[in-house]
Every structure is written in C-alpha cells, then in structure tokens.
Amino acid sequence: MRRKLKPPLPQRHGLDPARLRMPAEGSWATLRDHLVERLPKVDPARIDTMLRESRIVDMDGPVAPNAPFVPNSSVWFHRDLPDEVAVPFEIGVVHRDDDLLVVDKPHFLATIPRGKHIVETALVRLRRELDLPDLVPAHRLDRVTAGLIMFVVNPARRGAYQTLFRDRLVHKEYEAVARYDPDLDLPRTVRSRIVKEKGVITAREPEGPPNSETLVELVEHRDGLGRYRLLPRTGRTHQLRLHMAGLGVPILGDDFYPVLTETALDDYRKPLQLLAKVLAFTDPLTGAPRRFESPSTLLAWRSHEAWLAGPPATRPGSATG
C-alpha cells in the first residue's frame, strides 16, 4: 500500500490542507493560469491573493505568483471556510485508548466535513479539542442521528478497524421512539429494496430484490409512544427511517419520511428520535470481544413535551438555536 504523502502545511482548525495534483500535460504557462481554470468557483483575484500571501505551497515551500506550470506536480492550500451554523451540543467521550476513540455524537452534528458542514463536524471538533490530528472515522453516522461513532486514533490501525465496518462484522443496535400501534405485529424482520440517487436528498423503495434488512422489536410503550430496538443487518442510506415509515410508525422528528419537510440548519427543535446505542465486535488486533454502549436516552421518551421544545444547548459559548 502506498503511503500517503505528508502535507507540507499543518492542519488549520483541525482540517488538513487541500491537495491539487497537476495533470501530466497542459498548455498553461503558469500555475496561476491552471488554478484559475481548475477552480472556476474561486474568484481569480482570490487566487492571486493566496499566491501573493504564500498560502499555496509545494514540497519546496511557497509557490511564487509567476511560478511555471509543472506537469505531475502537486500543490497544497487551505480552502476558505464557509459561514457555518454553530452546533451547540457537546460530544461525549465513551472510550479512549491508543488505538480507538468512541464518542456519543449529539443530534445535528455531521460526522465528517462535507458541503455546508466543515468545522462544525465531529471529526474536526475532536481533532482540535482532543489534540488528535491523525484521527479518522471508522464509519459514519447521519447528521441528524445521535449516538456512537468509532474513530481510529493510530493511523497504523486504520485499515483493520475500517475493514470491520466494510465487511459488516460490527453488531449495531439502535433505539428509536415512534408512535405505538397495538395492531403492529412485532418483532418482525423488514426487507426492502432501497435506492439512493445522486443529487436526490431522499432514498426510495422501488420494486425489486431486497438489498436491505432490519429486525424491529418493541421494547416498551406508554402514552401512545413506543420505544423500539432496531437491528440493521445491512447499511443502506436511511434504511432504519424508511423501514419504520414503511411499517406506519415513522420515527419522531423524521423530516424526510414519509413526507419531505424543509427544516433550517439551525432549527434544533424536534430532533430525530434515533440513537446508535450499541457497537460490538471482535477486536481485529487482539481477538478480544469489545462492546460499547451509549449512555444517552432519547429525549422524547423521557419527556414528549421537552422534545417538542427542543434540546437545551450544552456547548459553552455557542448559539442556542
């Protein structure tokens, strides 16, 4: 396996610099000419400023504004960060050792940088807050889902732990709160075909051979609500949300299924009542069984009124939403 080239720029705000590899050939006289064409969403004046302020570098240091285009070379720089909505909730640490970090992620926090969520993501915040610059996720959890995420601390162990999730060798248990239906026969295994198209925010369940499977159990019920245990045997996009909606008991706070509802990024009311509760697996390095459990409970199960009002902010100095 090829070793990843160490960037000549340090992380900033917990983010690695972006790397651009030059094509093998081209007619550009300067690197600047290539960057203007390569990055059409960036104002050429901004590229000029970055070159003038030595913010674009190669392995030998800052690139001059008039530096020639060099085929097959690479440059690094830090992208300008978008304006982000602060996510005012803490990340709880469940376990930490030299190889692994397991955390209890709050609702509304994305796992990794993507789109409008860059600094306000679990990965970037943990790198910065825990001083773990090499931290990488072993898997991902939806932004609106709370609960356990496992990160790899030691880069040498990355492949071993990520492979566990890729090969579905991790036992996962989720909890959800939804309407209680006394006529719904549970436990039951739900199977369906799930398709997620690029550029479409929701997934769908067309006719065809099933590619997803979830065991749904009712743990308890009261006051018209049920607390459900969900055991996914596959990992399709929005699988648990689709399967619960398909049973006629959509998860409380689901603004995708059965009906897509637009919600502002800073609207922290009615969080999706879905929690990644348990991760269990055989450690690929030691052979020992490992099990982690989220200490959290879903807000709507503790108090439906409190859930309707929205969770209180717990992150000092952040907006309350």
Side-chain angles (χ1 to χ4, degrees), residues 8 13 32 38 42 87 104 134 137 158 165 173 201 227 230 233 266 273 299 306 310:
H13 306 304
R32 186 263 183 196
R38 179 84 169 267
V42 180
V87 180
D104 200 32
D134 295 323
R158 181 178 306 173
F165 289 88
E173 294 181 17
I201 194 170
R227 183 166 71 92
L230 311 178
R233 290 169 179 159
D266 60 349
Q273 293 302 277
L299 182 60

Side-chain angles (χ1 to χ4, degrees), residues 111 200 206 259 271 284:
T111 301
V200 180
V259 178

Side-chain angles (χ1 to χ4, degrees), residues 52-70:
R52 188 170 58 251
E53 295 179 352
S54 300
R55 296 189 182 188
I56 301 176
V57 307
D58 60 19
M59 294 303 294
D60 296 320
V63 177
N66 61 348
F69 169 80
V70 179

Side-chain angles (χ1 to χ4, degrees), residues 172-176 185-194 205 210-217 228-247 251 274:
K172 301 177 183 179
E173 294 181 17
Y174 289 75
E175 286 192 1
D185 186 20
L186 296 177
R188 74 165 62 180
T189 297
V190 181
R191 298 181 181 89
S192 73
R193 182 166 189 80
I194 295 177
E205 295 178 287
N211 60 6
S212 65
E213 181 177 320
T214 306
L215 175 62
V216 180
E217 301 174 343
Y228 298 85
R229 180 184 296 114
L230 311 178
L231 291 88
R233 290 169 179 159
T234 54
R236 297 291 172 178
T237 299
H238 300 168
Q239 175 176 319
L240 303 180
R241 299 162 69 176
L242 278 164
H243 284 174
M244 289 293 284
L247 291 174
I251 299 171
L274 181 61

